[in-house]
Amino acid sequence: MFIKQAFNYQHSFWRYLLGVSIIIFAVILGQIPLAIAMFMEGGMDIVGMEETEMLKVLDSNLNLFLLLLTFAVGLFALFFVVKYIHYQPIRTVTTSRKKIDWGRFFFGFGLVAIFSISVTAFDYFSNPQDYLVNFQPEPFFIMLVIAVIMIPLQTSFEEYLFRGYLMQGIGVLVKNKWFPLILTSVVFGGLHFFNPEVTKMGNIIMIYYIGTGFLLGIMTLMDEGLELALGFHAGNNLLTAVLVTADWTAFQTNSLLIDISDPTAGVDILIPIFVVYPLFLFIMAKKYGWKDWKEKLTGKVEDPIVDNYIQNTDNS
């Protein structure tokens, strides 16, 4: 099992505390180049600015690169922690399979990419008054290169941290699956509370962020690996950055379209959680033959040493 693999390596609680501390410290260090660049460009005027205004201090492509650099530094630190604090191969915090299944990654990526492009195209042609065409070749293609390289690093950091490292660490500590699923999903969603989208649309959008955490966590546990979640998260964020931006979003990019509508979040925010996300899971379940949902999502995580002891006792 995906979580159970951590028992085979150094999984003491203090190692996870140390590991998380190192990762947090690395993320803070990764923010320094962005902070310096903003201060050099905006001076003391950036103090007290709202987040959406701070995002406009720098050129959008430079801002995007430096923002994503933070997550790249965090990913490097996470891999360092896994390898040198837990002495665990990166593969085993990625998947329970003998090797990483890139076919699963690209299936998850393609599924959300097709959905995002279809929904954006439908809304654009249904409500053209809500959009401005923003295609400018040079800044767009610079942004595209940055996004293709850096966004997968950002999303991989979040997936390896929440659905990989912490899912395994909490799982071997509490010896079940439901608690790490709930905790990592709520914390993942909760960290989005400071996004400008929440300020603009209200706290109700937190249902979407936490629900997305549950979607990615369920993918990981049912499929016994991160591949689908890695691809899905990368596809979602990459297409979001490339297709549409707005002056109230965390990603300020040279996208193809600018959304100029006044966003609201109400009951419609529940549609992705209770309609679209179950559909994604249904498609994946059919393709990969997922079974025994209750056991995979809520079952126990037994120490293999205990299993071997019981087996040897039974045999004797």
Side-chain angles (χ1 to χ4, degrees), residues 23 36 148 243:
I23 293 166
I36 292 174
V148 168
L243 293 177

Side-chain angles (χ1 to χ4, degrees), residues 242-260:
V242 170
L243 293 177
V244 184
T245 193
D247 62 5
W248 43 267
T249 59
F251 276 174
Q252 301 283 319
T253 65
N254 291 293
S255 57
L256 295 174
L257 300 171
I258 298 177
D259 184 348
I260 58 173

Side-chain angles (χ1 to χ4, degrees), residues 26 51 70 76 113 126 149 156 190 223 226-227 251 271-272 286:
E51 186 175 357
T70 299
F76 174 82
S126 300
I149 295 172
S156 294
D223 202 51
L226 286 181
E227 294 100 329
F251 276 174
I271 294 177
K286 285 296 183 181

Side-chain angles (χ1 to χ4, degrees), residues 207-245:
I207 296 174
Y208 169 77
Y209 289 127
I210 294 174
T212 301
F214 273 102
L215 170 71
L216 295 165
I218 291 170
M219 282 183 198
T220 299
L221 290 179
M222 289 304 302
D223 202 51
E224 299 287 3
L226 286 181
E227 294 100 329
L228 286 172
L230 284 167
F232 187 95
H233 200 164
N236 180 75
N237 285 26
L238 180 59
L239 268 294
T240 297
V242 170
L243 293 177
V244 184
T245 193

Side-chain angles (χ1 to χ4, degrees), residues 151-163:
I151 285 180
L153 298 179
Q154 175 243 328
T155 55
S156 294
F157 169 67
E158 294 181 359
E159 289 309 306
Y160 273 104
L161 177 61
F162 289 101
R163 260 67 64 177

